[in-house]
Amino acid sequence: MHTDKRTLAWLVAGILLVSITPLTMSAKAFAQSGITLNGAGATFPFPLIDEWRVRYQDVQPDVALNYQSIGSGGGIRQFTEKTVDFGATDAPLNANQTSSLPGQAVHIPETIGSVVAAYNVIGIPDKGLKLTGPILADIFLGKITKWDDPKIEELNPDLPLPAQDIVVVHRAEGSGTTFVWTSYLSKVSTEWEVQVGRGTSVQWPTGLGAQGNEGVATTIRDTQYAIGYVELAYALTTGMDFAFIENLAGQFIEPTLDSTRAAVAASAPTLPKGEESWSNVSLVNALGQESYPIASFSYLLLYKELSTNPQIDSVEKARALVDFVSWAITDGQEFADDLSYVPLPEQVVTLNQETLKGITFNGQPVIETTPPPPPEGEPFTVTTSLDGTSYTVTGTSTFTATEVDIIPEQYVRITFDGDGEVELTLPKAMIDGITTVKAGSETLDHEMVSSSASSTTIKFTVPEGSSVVDIQGAMIVPEFEFVALLILATAIVGVIGFTRFRGNAMGVGFGKRM
Amino acid sequence: MFLGKKRKGDRIFRWVVIGASGYTLLMLVLVAFSVIEGAIPVFSLEGLSFFIGTDWNPVEGRESYGALPYVIGTLVTAGIAMVIGVPISLGIAVFISEIAPPKVGTPVAYVIEVLAAIPSIIYGLWALLVFRIWLLDLIERPLYQAFGGTLPFFAKAPFGLDVFTAGIVLAVMIIPIISSISREILKAIPNSQREAAYSLGATRWETVRKVLFPYAKAGLLGATVIGLGRAVGETILVTMVIGNALGIAAIPTTLFSQSNTISSVIASQFNEAVTPFHSSALIALGAVLFVLTMGINIGAQLLVSRMVKVVPGGRE
Amino acid sequence: MINYQKGSIAAVTSEEYANSSVDYKLSSAQAYARGYKVSIRNLNSWFGVKQALKNINFDVKENTITSMIGPSGCGKTTLIRCLNRMNEMTPGAAVKGSVYLDDVDIYANGIDPVTIKRRIGMVFQKPNPFPTMSIYDNVAAGLKLNGIRDKKLINEIVEESLRGAALWDEVKGELGKPGSSISGGQQQRLCIARALAMQPEVLLMDEPTSALDPIASAKIEELLNDLKKDLTIIIVTHNMQQAARVSDYTAFMYLGEMVEYGPTKQIFENPQKELTERYISGKFG
């Protein structure tokens, strides 16, 4: 009995330790970053936004991003209720939603989605099938029920279409993907428009409903003669079979990142300004020879006057939010390709930048129109090497840096031959997530000028009489996550080992009990 | 002094207990209030025909909502689950407590307890990825080929995602629950009852059927109702395998029809319910489910209390 | 004062039983021929590794009452439960040896324990009527189990059994009431009636009065004397006065062995073994 209690106590202590570890981790993260930006909404852009969350740490270590992918509807609701700093939605706000907002909102397209018609028919190879919008509408209306229907055969004379029933698969829950899909069907089929219409969820005349892209994909994969719709990114990463779709120009277009981008580019001239109504914006059935016809923006939602939302309580936070968004639509687009997202075309980026310029906080524009002047002086370059790799630091000032030293896992030391204002560009391979700049024991104010994937540019003033500056960052010290994982693993091993050693008194682990 | 202290402790205890019970009442009132309040918009749109309506159109400007298909879907799936699950559960319980030697019964009972603790989403994933395909190939297709042309029950080409699958997976989920409770109930029957039956020359089966089941029927019914409650309220598992039809298409006309249950509709649509009517309709569905489960519980309690009248059992 | 009941006289002299527990003189066939209803030969029983009965041998004469006495844990209940194969229902129990009912070994291969129980009735320590059944149905339960559907016949047997158990007059107006709604003593007589309805040849009673008050006990004891006209009764009791009052023969058991078995009068007045004498006189137990 006594050992039982002891073991229990240890076990509880162990569990507490394990459960507190992530808390301390996030506390540390919080301590590092003064500002947390909260967003919620669509699930479709979540992988991209999550990538941004990680990458933006390198750009702005002081700003943490927290995005909940709860669905477009939830995102709009939370944005309307002012519980998040920004919303995200796959469908633009409609008139009703706009009228229930507490203030004017802007749409910022942050990425592009396209939807493919995926199928599972024995004998029809990947991308072998050609379909048109009206045929898809008839299939989803339950009017075309056989794979060897004359309308399908006419388009695909070379394919061995089976005389089997078509199994229609759609999303069970409301989703932006459904919105895009039904928008397309409504555009190409009057009957669909009249009978069903477009929405994040609709009254499906026929078919199986499945949860999420995964559910639809799994159902199609496991059900012969099935056809359904999934996001392009999902279809590409899971290697599903999908159809060529006829576009407005009469071409059968393979859904790819490029053909989707072409559709956006073709539609770009007709896009409204960010603060205007976007409810009628649609990329489906876009003009252009190369345009894939089933595409749509995914949007970030911001209030034009950021102080509308009491969550945004300081000009610093307002600026952090706008800075993040403007990074996401420019530098952030670099990460889209790898994740099978379509990067925004130039025209849309420009449009977004115009929109961001119009955003205010307490009436003042958040983005400063005049960029900070570069420091006077001449550019210079210094190089150092460590473990066979050489690192180059460039800078601009009236004096030059003479030496760079890397103190592994602690800081980078730079020696100057003068004092005054200096702008330094440091490679990320050498130091990343710059936190502090010190001259001796004095901490210097530093300004983040810019950041790219490979380097960070900062600006600070070398105080009079000092010539040595130490720069500390997140990357040169061992990563905290690693330490935390180590603690966690030790705790788990310890608890298990202890209970084992204690003769299995808690019944942890099976074995002796039975 | 001592007496006074004790009384004070009693008073505190009393208030704590009253507070605790008041909490449940308060929660009930709050839930009822917010459900009713949330359901008002859809009733203003549909009136009482919400209960018998078969439409479910969330497209803005064409909105129309009716609860009937999901009430039917809920009852049908739960019914299939009970028809399949209850006999098997009782069989398992009888096997463990009456037939199997302890060397076999104890591990089996342990496994059942473990199964009962598995979260339903695990069953759902297994059902979606594995089980429904077995079911389709081994049961649904043969049934369809054999009876599809003659019996209306089977007159639809099966895909493995339908009320039949949902009912069977629900049965799989509730079997461990019902059987582990039933086993406890059978175990609690005094041995003297078994001996009395055996001494009259009853076989094992006669003992179980004529003595043990009647003795424990209130408890076994209770176990069954707990299973039914789980089956009616189960959400995620059903959503994964029922085919999620909407509107009139969700009224199952065959065993292989796609359908939807109340909780499954709520779960799959609430996140993206953007119009006030849509979310209100889902809340009203919640109210219907609330009434339905309450009705089942009250019905079961009436049944039990009628049975208990015949079972004073106090002298045992 | 001990009030001896006059029982029928056994055809075997007490000497034959005197040292009988190990080496029994009569074969089972001889015993049957001499009018013995039940003959136990070389009966051993175990619970797991613990031996509960050690080589028990004795014969029970038809239409007599035989008592089993002995201190708690001596094996008397185990023994009686071996006589209708009830013991094997207990997990971990094992039995070796023979029990002859007339000339049939109930432990022989091919004997269905269910049919044995229909011939050898049993009444338990605590009254155990079926609570969900009415008084009537309790008595009729065994008949229905045996496939008797004739309503009239069942009615007759129920009444006869309740009369036999001296319960008829007390419950005849309320046969539809639940079996558990009557008093403890009545419940026990109901259980006797339930056993009698099967028209058994032997009735085993395992401390049937231990859970009852003295008045209810007296009623049951009275009843036993009437029952033995039609039945052979074997009763386990921890109450020596009861054994002396009701039984014709008494067996004293100790630590799984049958120490002494003989006419009740002899066991109580002139025991052959010192152990018996010490137990009877209350020196241990």
Side-chain angles (χ1 to χ4, degrees):
Chain A
M1 201 51 219
H2 183 67
T3 44
D4 264 12
K5 276 190 178 165
R6 282 263 295 272
T7 317
L8 186 68
W10 277 101
L11 194 69
V12 168
I15 290 170
L16 276 179
L17 182 65
V18 169
S19 55
I20 281 172
T21 310
L23 282 181
T24 54
M25 283 166 73
S26 56
K28 175 82 186 275
F30 185 76
Q32 273 185 343
S33 55
I35 295 172
T36 300
L37 301 175
N38 292 303
T43 49
F44 162 66
F46 174 69
L48 183 60
I49 295 180
D50 200 53
E51 180 75 13
W52 289 343
R53 178 183 66 77
V54 176
R55 300 289 184 159
Y56 200 57
Q57 283 292 300
D58 302 341
V59 181
Q60 270 296 0
D62 290 350
V63 177
L65 185 64
N66 169 27
Y67 181 72
Q68 308 288 328
S69 62
I70 55 171
S72 297
I76 292 172
R77 206 155 39 229
Q78 295 224 17
F79 178 70
T80 308
E81 285 160 8
K82 300 181 280 193
T83 52
V84 289
D85 303 323
F86 65 92
T89 174
D90 293 338
L93 295 174
N94 62 29
N96 261 337
Q97 288 162 344
T98 307
S99 66
S100 57
L101 289 176
Q104 195 183 3
V106 295
H107 287 76
I108 298 163
E110 97 280 29
T111 190
I112 301 152
S114 57
V115 181
V116 305
Y119 55 83
N120 170 10
V121 182
I122 292 172
I124 304 185
D126 178 21
K127 301 170 192 167
L129 189 67
K130 291 178 187 167
L131 293 172
T132 67
I135 289 177
L136 280 172
D138 283 353
I139 290 173
F140 275 74
L141 281 167
K143 285 175 67 189
I144 293 179
T145 59
K146 296 275 187 196
W147 276 105
D148 61 349
D149 190 277
K151 285 184 185 165
I152 305 178
E153 270 185 332
E154 194 190 323
L155 289 175
N156 302 280
D158 305 331
L159 292 181
L161 292 164
Q164 294 285 349
D165 285 337
I166 299 176
V167 182
V168 171
V169 184
H170 55 75
R171 290 282 282 271
E173 82 286 21
S175 76
T177 315
T178 300
F179 180 80
V180 178
W181 185 250
T182 53
S183 299
Y184 174 64
L185 296 185
S186 295
K187 193 112 167 201
V188 294
S189 158
T190 321
E191 192 171 350
W192 182 275
E193 164 63 25
V194 170
Q195 197 188 321
V196 184
R198 65 170 185 165
T200 51
S201 78
V202 297
Q203 183 159 264
W204 297 99
T206 183
L208 300 167
Q211 287 285 338
N213 279 306
E214 315 78 56
V216 171
T218 310
T219 307
I220 293 173
R221 195 191 64 211
D222 293 341
T223 310
Q224 269 181 39
Y225 312 117
I227 187 167
Y229 59 92
V230 291
E231 269 150 14
L232 172 64
Y234 198 85
L236 288 176
T237 48
T238 54
M240 303 179 75
D241 297 352
F242 47 75
F244 284 58
I245 311 283
E246 190 186 37
N247 69 7
L248 199 58
Q251 305 292 320
F252 286 91
I253 301 294
E254 175 182 354
T256 60
L257 299 185
D258 286 339
S259 62
T260 307
R261 199 174 150 110
V264 183
S267 309
T270 64
L271 293 177
K273 288 198 170 111
E275 65 264 34
E276 290 170 2
S277 167
W278 282 62
S279 58
N280 289 321
V281 170
S282 173
L283 303 180
V284 298
N285 230 12
L287 292 162
Q289 291 289 320
E290 305 296 322
S291 301
Y292 180 71
I294 318 173
S296 164
F297 285 125
S298 182
Y299 304 90
L300 296 180
L301 296 173
L302 295 175
Y303 287 109
K304 189 169 159 57
E305 168 53 55
L306 287 176
S307 62
T308 306
N309 184 345
Q311 303 281 332
I312 301 169
D313 53 3
S314 66
V315 67
E316 285 76 25
K317 187 165 184 185
R319 189 167 295 148
L321 178 60
V322 173
D323 281 350
F324 163 70
V325 174
S326 86
W327 175 84
I329 57 166
T330 52
D331 292 355
Q333 295 294 314
E334 285 173 33
F335 309 110
D337 257 320
D338 283 349
L339 296 168
S340 298
Y341 285 88
V342 181
L344 294 172
E346 201 54 48
Q347 305 95 308
V348 179
V349 174
T350 314
L351 178 78
N352 281 341
Q353 284 170 330
E354 286 304 312
T355 308
L356 289 175
K357 279 180 193 158
I359 287 183
T360 57
F361 183 77
N362 289 334
Q364 296 298 313
V366 177
I367 291 186
E368 286 157 21
T369 40
T370 49
E376 300 160 17
E378 296 293 317
F380 60 83
T381 303
V382 275
T383 309
T384 186
S385 70
L386 180 77
D387 297 337
T389 315
S390 71
Y391 303 97
T392 304
V393 176
T394 57
T396 312
S397 65
T398 53
F399 49 95
T400 60
T402 54
E403 209 180 320
V404 179
D405 288 305
I406 301 171
I407 317 302
E409 305 195 338
Q410 291 183 40
Y411 52 84
V412 174
R413 171 164 289 183
I414 298 173
T415 314
F416 297 99
D417 64 356
D419 50 50
E421 199 171 55
V422 63
E423 191 177 275
L424 278 185
T425 303
L426 303 136
K428 284 195 172 167
M430 181 173 81
I431 180 166
D432 199 0
I434 292 170
T435 52
T436 327
V437 179
K438 278 184 164 180
S441 59
E442 186 191 353
T443 303
L444 305 177
D445 289 335
H446 71 277
E447 194 181 333
M448 187 76 59
V449 178
S450 70
S451 172
S452 73
S454 62
S455 64
T456 321
T457 303
I458 56 170
K459 200 164 105 179
F460 58 91
T461 305
V462 183
E464 221 170 300
S466 306
S467 58
V468 176
V469 170
D470 297 338
I471 305 171
Q472 299 177 348
M475 207 238 11
I476 35 173
V477 294
E479 287 192 15
F480 185 73
E481 278 83 343
F482 177 74
V483 178
L485 277 176
L486 211 65
I487 294 172
L488 196 128
T490 320
I492 292 173
V493 169
V495 166
I496 292 174
F498 191 79
T499 46
R500 281 279 181 199
F501 181 68
R502 278 286 165 187
N504 210 0
M506 283 296 294
V508 174
F510 310 96
K512 290 181 189 164
R513 277 223 134 172
M514 294 291 298
Chain B
M1 226 5 227
F2 175 74
L3 276 177
K5 250 187 177 171
K6 192 182 170 202
R7 273 161 200 261
K8 193 176 172 193
D10 266 4
R11 226 180 7 250
I12 293 170
F13 176 71
R14 210 176 100 112
W15 283 111
V16 167
V17 174
I18 288 175
S21 57
Y23 163 81
T24 51
L25 201 69
L26 184 73
M27 286 314 285
L28 187 70
V29 169
L30 284 180
V31 168
F33 178 77
S34 45
V35 164
I36 291 168
E37 197 208 13
I40 286 172
V42 80
F43 284 111
S44 73
L45 177 75
E46 297 282 343
L48 289 178
S49 67
F50 174 74
F51 294 111
I52 50 160
T54 56
D55 238 17
W56 192 271
N57 196 344
V59 174
E60 208 165 11
R62 309 175 187 181
E63 285 179 274
S64 166
Y65 301 98
L68 187 66
Y70 319 113
V71 174
I72 296 175
T74 304
L75 294 178
V76 168
T77 46
I80 293 172
M82 298 314 277
V83 165
I84 294 166
V86 170
I88 295 177
S89 304
L90 293 183
I92 292 172
V94 167
F95 173 77
I96 295 173
S97 77
E98 306 300 321
I99 291 170
K103 265 186 192 164
V104 179
T106 314
V108 172
Y110 180 75
V111 169
I112 295 282
E113 300 284 344
V114 170
L115 287 178
I118 292 180
S120 60
I121 185 137
I122 307 288
Y123 284 111
L125 280 175
W126 169 74
L128 179 67
L129 299 175
V130 182
F131 185 64
R132 71 146 178 126
I133 298 170
W134 297 350
L135 207 61
L136 179 63
D137 292 343
L138 301 178
I139 298 177
E140 293 194 344
R141 281 225 183 87
L143 277 176
Y144 173 65
Q145 275 148 17
F147 305 113
T150 45
L151 295 176
F153 261 14
F154 303 111
K156 183 180 184 302
F159 308 128
L161 295 171
D162 43 44
V163 286
F164 185 68
T165 308
I168 287 183
V169 180
L170 277 178
V172 170
M173 186 194 80
I174 61 173
I175 281 171
I177 298 163
I178 301 183
S179 57
S180 64
I181 302 174
S182 302
R183 180 184 68 100
E184 292 296 327
I185 287 161
L186 290 178
K187 238 172 67 181
I189 300 176
N191 229 357
S192 62
Q193 289 291 312
R194 292 180 186 90
E195 290 182 338
Y198 290 138
S199 76
L200 294 176
T203 59
R204 273 216 162 103
W205 164 234
E206 286 164 343
T207 305
V208 167
R209 191 167 55 101
K210 300 210 166 131
V211 175
L212 302 185
F213 276 175
Y215 189 95
K217 63 185 167 187
L220 294 178
L221 184 76
T224 307
V225 170
I226 289 174
L228 179 62
R230 288 289 298 266
V232 165
E234 179 50 43
T235 307
I236 196 74
L237 186 162
V238 174
T239 310
M240 292 173 102
V241 294
I242 200 169
N244 296 292
L246 282 177
I248 190 101
I251 296 180
T253 49
T254 72
L255 274 181
F256 305 142
S257 297
Q258 282 68 54
S259 182
N260 226 329
T261 65
I262 296 174
S263 45
S264 151
V265 172
I266 297 174
S268 57
Q269 302 226 325
F270 205 81
N271 263 348
E272 294 284 346
V274 278
T275 80
F277 287 131
H278 194 183
S279 36
S280 164
L282 293 169
I283 293 170
L285 269 189
V288 172
L289 182 61
F290 188 66
V291 171
L292 198 69
T293 39
M294 221 149 72
I296 288 172
N297 273 317
I298 291 172
Q301 256 170 29
L302 285 178
L303 255 173
V304 170
S305 67
R306 262 181 58 187
M307 281 179 179
V308 167
K309 266 184 204 150
V310 199
V311 192
R315 295 184 189 258
E316 194 12 82
Chain C
M1 275 299 287
I2 296 169
N3 172 31
Y4 292 117
Q5 296 286 334
K6 268 203 120 183
S8 57
I9 295 154
V12 182
T13 62
S14 59
E15 284 74 28
E16 280 183 351
Y17 292 95
N19 199 8
S20 60
S21 63
V22 179
D23 175 27
Y24 205 75
K25 308 288 188 298
L26 295 173
S27 73
S28 59
Q30 286 171 313
Y32 175 56
R34 294 197 191 184
Y36 289 98
K37 188 68 188 173
V38 180
S39 299
I40 292 100
R41 290 293 178 275
N42 305 322
L43 189 69
N44 289 278
S45 168
W46 294 265
F47 290 108
V49 291
K50 189 175 167 279
Q51 187 159 14
L53 292 178
K54 296 173 187 166
N55 208 31
I56 305 290
N57 283 283
F58 74 104
D59 297 300
V60 176
K61 183 115 181 99
E62 192 159 16
N63 299 107
T64 61
I65 300 178
T66 303
S67 298
M68 308 274 166
I69 61 170
S72 296
C74 69
K76 53 191 194 293
T77 293
T78 307
L79 175 57
I80 199 175
R81 287 166 63 88
C82 284
L83 301 186
N84 68 343
R85 299 186 64 168
M86 185 61 88
N87 205 41
E88 47 189 42
M89 298 292 173
T90 312
V95 177
K96 209 178 147 204
S98 303
V99 173
Y100 291 91
L101 177 63
D102 295 338
D103 54 346
V104 179
D105 180 3
I106 65 171
Y107 282 99
N109 284 337
I111 298 286
D112 182 359
V114 169
T115 57
I116 291 303
K117 293 191 186 78
R118 287 173 188 179
R119 289 177 65 189
I120 306 179
M122 193 162 193
V123 175
F124 299 85
Q125 197 167 345
K126 273 171 73 184
N128 57 354
F130 301 126
T132 54
M133 296 183 193
S134 66
I135 292 173
Y136 179 94
D137 286 337
N138 261 285
V139 181
L143 300 173
K144 287 180 179 166
L145 282 174
N146 285 293
I148 296 172
R149 294 277 173 271
D150 182 351
K151 275 259 171 67
K152 209 175 139 218
L153 179 65
I154 295 178
N155 280 340
E156 271 171 27
I157 295 176
V158 166
E159 181 177 342
E160 193 184 305
S161 307
L162 283 169
R163 282 188 194 283
L167 191 59
W168 176 254
D169 292 332
E170 290 163 53
V171 300
K172 63 185 172 192
E174 42 191 28
L175 290 176
K177 277 174 68 174
S180 54
S181 65
I182 50 182
S183 76
Q186 288 173 321
Q187 285 186 29
Q188 191 62 305
R189 277 179 284 148
L190 178 59
C191 293
I192 294 173
R194 185 174 66 186
L196 291 179
M198 299 290 293
Q199 296 172 313
E201 298 156 43
V202 177
L203 185 61
L204 307 174
M205 303 179 101
D206 183 7
E207 303 196 23
T209 62
S210 66
L212 304 181
D213 61 72
I215 296 169
S217 300
K219 276 198 172 158
I220 304 250
E221 284 180 20
E222 218 171 282
L223 177 62
L224 293 183
N225 217 21
D226 295 335
L227 289 176
K228 80 172 180 188
K229 288 177 204 120
D230 307 311
L231 286 167
T232 305
I233 298 174
I234 301 172
I235 178 170
V236 167
T237 178
H238 62 267
N239 177 338
M240 276 185 282
Q241 282 77 12
Q242 186 173 60
R245 278 196 300 269
V246 303
S247 61
D248 305 308
Y249 295 90
T250 296
F252 169 59
M253 295 189 66
Y254 186 63
L255 296 179
E257 294 189 48
M258 180 160 289
V259 176
E260 191 168 356
Y261 173 49
T264 299
K265 189 177 163 91
Q266 181 196 315
I267 296 286
F268 278 88
E269 287 184 346
N270 186 22
Q272 305 293 302
K273 295 280 182 74
E274 196 200 337
L275 202 59
T276 316
E277 201 261 315
R278 284 178 59 205
Y279 181 71
I280 300 288
S281 57
K283 293 204 175 95
F284 79 98

